[in-house]
Amino acid sequence: AQSVTQLGSHVSVSEGALVLLRCNYSSSVPPYLFWYVQYPNQGLQLLLKYTSAATLVKGINGFEAEFKKSETSFHLTKPSAHMSDAAEYFCAVSVNAGGTSYGKLTFGQGTILTVHP
Amino acid sequence: ETGVTQTPRHLVMGMTNKKSLKCEQHLGHNAMYWYKQSAKKPLELMFVYSLEERVENNSVPSRFSPECPNSSHLFLHLHTLQPEDSALYLCASSLGTSGNNEQFFGPGTRLTVL
């Protein structure tokens, strides 16, 4: 079975600073990896996804993530934080295996990002 | 309406009530999902429907009963709930069910069980 670990339940940065949200995954087969963002009182919105093409994936709102197989990581970064980036971020992994007829999406615990002026 | 919509957005019910949550997707997708999001816990997959057929029931108690009358609509019927069932219930849809299909989420229904 696959799993995801997000290091740090809370991350705080200053506006304009680098954002780094960490995600490590575990999977016995090649994974598909996703980052979602959730703003207060809203559902989850896809930021970006890795589906075995380029290892550096660019998403919306200036975010990007790099798939590193050797480190089993898929960390999310943004060069310069904006106040509007304050939200909760979820890393998720999915595979096409495990005896199911569908790709089950497994989520991490989430990381709350706070951006200070 | 666009995307995935859910009604109601907020629901308060007693343990003896019966209520239903509704989800509708306007994306032409073939798969729909129910998730439970509780504080301090990862999102929990509850049910998966593909082309109106249930393909996953993730050990969910029978007091939660899903219904998928067509590929655009998904319901979650609730009865005899417990206070620990209070959570945000999220509906999602995807084009297909293979692992590389991204899921699109609705805004959720915030459920409080008294």
Side-chain angles (χ1 to χ4, degrees), chain A residues 15-105:
Chain A
E15 192 173 20
L18 171 71
V19 175
L20 171 60
L21 304 182
R22 300 178 186 272
C23 172
N24 288 90
Y25 70 91
S26 173
S27 173
S28 58
V29 298
Y32 302 109
L33 294 159
F34 305 80
W35 275 100
Y36 283 86
V37 60
Q38 186 177 31
Y39 298 100
N41 301 313
Q42 295 187 31
L44 278 69
Q45 178 184 6
L46 182 71
L47 278 177
L48 49 81
K49 66 177 182 180
Y50 166 76
T51 57
S52 74
T55 57
L56 181 62
V57 181
K58 295 187 183 298
I60 62 171
N61 302 338
F63 285 94
E64 62 181 39
E66 186 172 7
F67 173 71
K68 292 187 176 181
K69 183 179 178 180
S70 61
E71 299 176 8
T72 61
S73 69
F74 190 57
H75 301 330
L76 182 70
T77 60
K78 181 174 180 177
S80 177
H82 192 273
M83 296 295 289
S84 61
D85 294 326
E88 189 163 16
Y89 292 79
F90 293 92
C91 183
V93 62
S94 178
V95 298
N96 280 333
T100 63
S101 60
Y102 69 97
K104 180 177 180 178
L105 197 58

